[in-house]
Structures are given as structure tokens and as C-alpha cells.
Amino acid sequence: MRLDAKIPDGPLPDKWSLHKSRIRLVNPANKRHLKIIVVGSGLAGASAAASFGEAGYRVDCFCFQDSPRRAHSIAAQGGINAAKNYQNDGDNVHRLFQDTIKGGDYRSREANVYRLAELSTSIIDQAVAQGVPFAREYGGLLANRSFGGVQVQRTFYARGQTGQQLLLGSYGALSRQIRSGTVTMHPRSEMLDLVVVDGQARGIVVRNLETGEIERYAAHAVVLATGGYGKIYYLSTLAMGCNATAIWRAHKRGALFANPSFNQIHPTCIPVLGDSQSKLTLMSESLRNDGRIWVPKAQGDGRKPNDIPEEERDYYLERKYPAFGNLTPRDIASRAAKEVCDEGRGAGPTGRATYLDFRDAVARVGRQVISERYGNLFDMYRTITGIDPYVDPMLIYPASHFSMGGLWVDYNLMTTIPGLFALGECNFSDHGANRLGANSLLQACVDGYFVIPYTMTDYLAGERGKKPLPTDHPAFDEAAKGVDEQVRHFTTNAGKRSVDSFHRELGEVLWDSCSISRTAAGLESAISRVRDLRAEFHRDVKVPGGADRLNPEIEKAGRVADYLDLGELMCHDALQREESCGAHFREEYQRDGEAVRNDEEFMYVSAWEYQGPGGAPKLHKETLEFEYSTPAVRSYK
């Protein structure tokens, strides 16, 4: 299999405009005869479905929630990046491009990243036109703040609810198309297989989550916009329903999976407080603009934080990375937190936490200003923990958050299966080995509003005059039969263990061996443990209830089955990449605690091909070439 990224010719700043001018088009009269399936209704999916509907295509949009407004994009807090330079601090498209390339530790594709930076300026205007209530300065200009890994203020925000407000904007656009009849919404439906005929994506098989019915849908093209797989660790900042099923089922049908071990651990989350937790809560990175992170200098210091004098506090990020301080990138801040806690200097009842302190900020600008910036976040923290962060420091610790890996896509966002496209977090394309904060909402919006509506026409032009396959085609029969057999297996299996118990155990294995840091021995052990756990899962899982009705345990069982396969692939990917880069920190490859890349041997995207049940995954490589940025040691000191 040859990986062709289809990167356009020409200078980097001109690639996207030249590419758009050369793309084949579809006559408006022909668009209404072409059908597109969009799986997912978060920012990427809703914006894509709305854009396709506005263009005149017929769209079927699917989500497992009861409404597109429930998509996990709603949980994003801190902001969205754009190189508008409203603060007149030297920002521009090239600087956003360079920050993103460097932040990803030179493991992302230049052309895709530059396009992301270039289109960032347009998405803000789009969102404002939709009524997104971004914060504003006194004079009326949109306000900005900083996020990790940058030295400018380019993050636009709506207090701590930016994802929610952007999602409401895209939901409004989607609702307009639903009302006009161009988009048909299918809530409470989960994609469980991709239908591929003669090498092309031709439809999907879904399970109606309310009735249990297995349903079939055909189209000329399929778009996956289903988010990331960070919930594989069980304890994460993601919603309970987040999963990898759609992309994993597509992977088993032939779509290559890229960089699966590149998973981001977010440094500012409410730490684990008990054994009964099923998720963790993110405290926005924006808090690091005003909050200072520290731990006691002495091991085992059990005093209350406000009783520890200034000279006995270690503001370790400011000490180690003075140029960026508390706004170092997420991977670096997470490793630093783990390091001080491993030294026995951690805070809180478990010793696995650090302090995020607003004492100085409140003294500097006043409680009212801090409340205007972060009030809903402070209220959320106080509700969960009972601690008032205006008075006492927050307790924070790293947790699973974002997936830089995902389905491999080319410049047009098409996977290795023609007709199958992947948008947003479920593809690998923009973030390399580490995502900079506030680039997630940016990628989702850019992919849905400004990229896929153009690039898909190049594929759909070749579908003109064709009808979608009939859903009684043998390929649909085969896919539906496989889905039904898996569901029946779960409900008839005479096991004794709950689905959640397997998911929790898998998460513990991966957190110990393939999270903030990794070793060869730990990864080899994890592969063996995951294989054993998978065999036990299929032998001993217990799914109560029937298949022909509402049954959330069936949903969870299918997702955990996919996570068990994906978890093994993550460890394979991490094991073969014998270097440290971004969030992939192999303890064998470091110097004075800092990551050591191996550009001579590993400057590539690792794209894995599924080889069937029990088969060893096959590695393909997309070589990364840097023409406009020079790979260097990623220093934030």
C-alpha cells in the first residue's frame, strides 16, 4: 500500500488556494442527486453536515446522543486559536503555523498545519456571524488570552464555555438545514460497521439504540467525525459515551490507523479522589494564564497550602521553563507534575496532585476580574470538591484528554478507503505528537466549515450519475450479519464480569505502561496483558438484558471490545517508536529529563494496517519533510 498524501505543489502559503482552484466541481443541479453520510454531530460533524446541506447535497447525519447539542464538543472550555493579531503582539499565520509544528514536536504534516493556521482567521468571523458570544474588550474588540506553548495572545474564548457556544452556533446552522429538508438527523444511532464495495465506502450499518434494530444506510460518500479515543484509559476528561468504535470498525475494513500511541495527557484536571469514579473533570488550560502551579519544596509536607510560606514553595514550571513558565505545553507540564509527585512532594490526600494557586492573581487584579474570566470554572471546581479556589489553591493532576492519533487521511481528509473521510479529532492530520491548547476547536471547525466542503467535491465529481447501492446488496447483508452476531454474542454469553470491570482494568494497564511515560519492558508487558484481558473479556463478560430494546450495556460492551484491540495497537506503536517526542515519552530516550527525538530514523507518520483477528498489525510509513520549518530541539526554557 502506497501512502499518497496528495499534497499540492507550489509554495506553502499558496498550496490551499491553488488546490481549491484545481479541484473538480459538482454542478449545483447534480448535488441534490448525491447523498453523503456524516457520522457524528459535534463541531466537525455538525459543521460539515450543515455545509453540505447548504450546498444542496442530501445528507444523513448520525449521532448516538439524543440531540446534536449533547455532543462532547460542548465540554471544551478554554478557547479557539486564530491568528488575528488583535493584541498587536506580533502574531500572524506563519507564527501560528510554527507554534503548532513545534508544539507537535515536528511530527505533523507541514501542508495541513499551514492550512489550519491560514483558515484560523476565517473561523472567528464565521462564529461571530452565527452569534457566538466571544468575550470582548472594553472598546468592543474580541478579547484574547494565551494558551500553552505560545508567547502571544491568540485564543478567543467565551468564559469557560467556548466549546458549548461554538457547538450552539453549528447546531443552529445544522437545524436550519434539517428544517429545509437537506439534512436528515438520526439521533440515538450508533455506527457499528462500514460497508465497502470494490474498495470504496458505500454506506454504514447502525444499531438503533432505542429499539435495538440493525439498520442500513447507503450513500456516495461517508464522513466520520466521531471524536477521540482518550476514554480508552477509563478515567479521562471525556464523556462516558466517547468511544473509538466508528473509526476502529473502519480500520478493520481497510482504513489505516495513524500514530495511535500519540495520546495527550492534560496537566490540569481534578485528580482521582476515590475508587468509584468513572471520569475526571478538566480544569481549563486558560486557568494557567493567572494561576501559578507549585508543590512544597519538602517531601511529605502535610500542612495546609496557605500555611506554607512563599520561600518553601517550588513553582517548578517557572523554575524549569522560565521563558514560558506555567504556560508550557501540556506534555511537558504533565511530565513535570508526575516528576515532583514521584519525588514525594505531591499535594492532597493521595500525594498525586499539585496546586494551582490564584492568590497572587486575586491580589493583583481583584476577585471580580478573576470571576469574570473564570467564574463558571471556579464554580464547577467548588461544586465537585467543596474547595473555594478564590481562597484555597485548586488541586490538579494530569489525566487522559485528547488523541493526536486517528485514521490516516490525505490533504483532502480522505482515508485509505476511497469515499471515506475523517474530520476533527478522529483523524491524525494536524497535531503531531502533542496538541497545543485551543487548536482542537480550531481543527474541528476548519475541517467542517472550510476544508471538507471543497475537497469532497473532487471525489463526488466522479460519482455523478451513479445511484447509492441498494441496501439489500450482499455487502450490506454481510456487514449487518456481523453486527447482529456480535450483539447476540454479548447478550447470550454466560459470563460473570461486568463490562465496566474490564474497561477499568484495561485503563489501568494502559495508564501504567502507555501514558505520561513508557518503557520497552512496560509496553511488552502491556501487550501481553491486553491480549489476556481480551480473551477473558470475550469468555467471561456479562451483558444483562436483551438485544431488541434499549440496553446501554450492549453499547458499552461493543466499545470496550474495540478498545481492547486498539489498546494493543497503541502499545505496538509506542514500542516501535524508539525515541521520545511530544506526548510519547520513552524513558530510555531522554537527556536531563527532556525528550530526545531521533529524526534520522523516526521522522514519519506510523500508519498501521489491520491484518485480521490475531494478526500482527502491518506498519506503513509516511515520511515527513520539512521545507518551511527547521526541526530543532523543542525548548521552552
Side-chain angles (χ1 to χ4, degrees), residues 100-101 103-109 113 259 262-263 403-405 428-435 581-583 624:
T100 302
I101 286 285
D105 219 353
Y106 303 94
R107 291 296 178 262
S108 48
R109 190 188 290 154
V113 175
N259 298 336
F262 286 176
N263 295 284
S403 312
M404 283 78 68
F428 88 100
S429 67
D430 292 352
H431 306 298
N434 174 65
R435 176 176 68 81
C581 58
L624 294 170

Side-chain angles (χ1 to χ4, degrees), residues 234-312:
Y234 188 72
L235 289 176
S236 80
T237 65
L238 277 68
M240 294 300 294
C242 292
N243 63 88
T245 288
I247 57 174
W248 189 256
R249 305 294 170 91
H251 173 59
K252 293 172 74 172
R253 290 291 183 182
L256 297 194
F257 206 113
N259 298 336
S261 68
F262 286 176
N263 295 284
Q264 184 168 82
I265 308 301
H266 198 294
T268 52
C269 304
I270 298 178
V272 178
L273 299 174
D275 294 336
S276 61
Q277 283 183 254
S278 57
K279 76 175 299 295
L280 300 173
T281 302
L282 173 69
M283 288 289 100
S284 170
E285 183 168 306
S286 62
L287 294 171
R288 293 198 273 153
N289 277 272
D290 288 299
R292 300 180 70 191
I293 298 174
W294 63 276
V295 293
K297 289 183 177 180
Q299 294 181 352
D301 191 329
R303 288 176 291 177
K304 294 180 179 180
N306 289 337
D307 293 338
I308 300 176
E310 184 73 12
E311 63 272 13
E312 296 181 35

Side-chain angles (χ1 to χ4, degrees), residues 2 35 105 110 156 167 270 277 289-290 297 316 354 375 393 441 517 562 570 628:
R2 177 175 173 269
K35 177 171 278 193
D105 219 353
E110 271 194 336
F156 295 76
L167 184 63
I270 298 178
Q277 283 183 254
N289 277 272
D290 288 299
K297 289 183 177 180
Y316 56 91
T354 63
L441 295 178
S517 62
D562 296 327
M570 284 169 50
Y628 292 87

Side-chain angles (χ1 to χ4, degrees), residues 52-282:
F52 289 138
E54 182 70 29
Y57 296 103
R58 292 181 296 144
V59 183
D60 282 313
C61 185
F62 298 81
C63 69
F64 61 76
Q65 300 93 348
D66 55 2
S67 165
R69 290 181 62 180
R70 302 277 291 175
H72 191 57
S73 300
I74 202 171
Q77 299 169 345
I80 178 172
N81 285 332
K84 287 285 202 179
N85 194 34
Y86 281 177
Q87 304 302 315
N88 197 29
D89 55 3
D91 198 17
N92 53 43
V93 167
H94 186 75
R95 194 176 296 278
L96 174 53
F97 159 71
Q98 290 285 9
D99 285 345
T100 302
I101 286 285
K102 176 184 176 182
D105 219 353
Y106 303 94
R107 291 296 178 262
S108 48
R109 190 188 290 154
E110 271 194 336
N112 289 64
V113 175
Y114 193 90
R115 178 175 64 187
L116 180 77
E118 179 183 353
L119 292 174
S120 70
T121 58
S122 299
I123 192 56
I124 300 303
D125 299 334
Q126 170 94 4
V128 170
Q130 290 177 334
V132 175
F134 287 123
R136 292 181 181 270
E137 303 288 0
Y138 177 77
L141 284 178
L142 298 183
N144 294 117
R145 56 192 179 198
S146 295
F147 262 55
V150 304
Q151 292 181 309
V152 297
Q153 297 181 76
R154 66 162 69 102
T155 304
F156 295 76
Y157 62 96
R159 297 189 77 183
Q161 305 168 348
T162 315
Q164 179 184 31
Q165 298 303 324
L166 287 168
L167 184 63
L168 289 174
S170 65
Y171 177 67
L174 177 63
S175 296
R176 180 174 183 271
Q177 297 308 314
I178 294 172
R179 183 175 178 84
S180 71
T182 60
V183 175
T184 301
M185 196 69 214
H186 302 270
R188 301 297 291 150
S189 301
E190 182 172 28
M191 172 187 159
L192 294 182
D193 207 352
L194 176 74
V195 177
V196 179
V197 179
D198 297 328
Q200 291 181 280
R202 292 303 186 187
I204 63 173
V205 173
V206 308
R207 180 173 180 268
N208 184 312
L209 299 182
E210 293 181 347
T211 67
E213 184 178 355
I214 305 302
E215 301 172 348
R216 312 169 182 201
Y217 296 89
H220 295 92
V222 177
V223 174
L224 301 184
T226 54
Y229 51 91
K231 192 63 183 173
I232 195 170
Y233 292 96
Y234 188 72
L235 289 176
S236 80
T237 65
L238 277 68
M240 294 300 294
C242 292
N243 63 88
T245 288
I247 57 174
W248 189 256
R249 305 294 170 91
H251 173 59
K252 293 172 74 172
R253 290 291 183 182
L256 297 194
F257 206 113
N259 298 336
S261 68
F262 286 176
N263 295 284
Q264 184 168 82
I265 308 301
H266 198 294
T268 52
C269 304
I270 298 178
V272 178
L273 299 174
D275 294 336
S276 61
Q277 283 183 254
S278 57
K279 76 175 299 295
L280 300 173
T281 302
L282 173 69

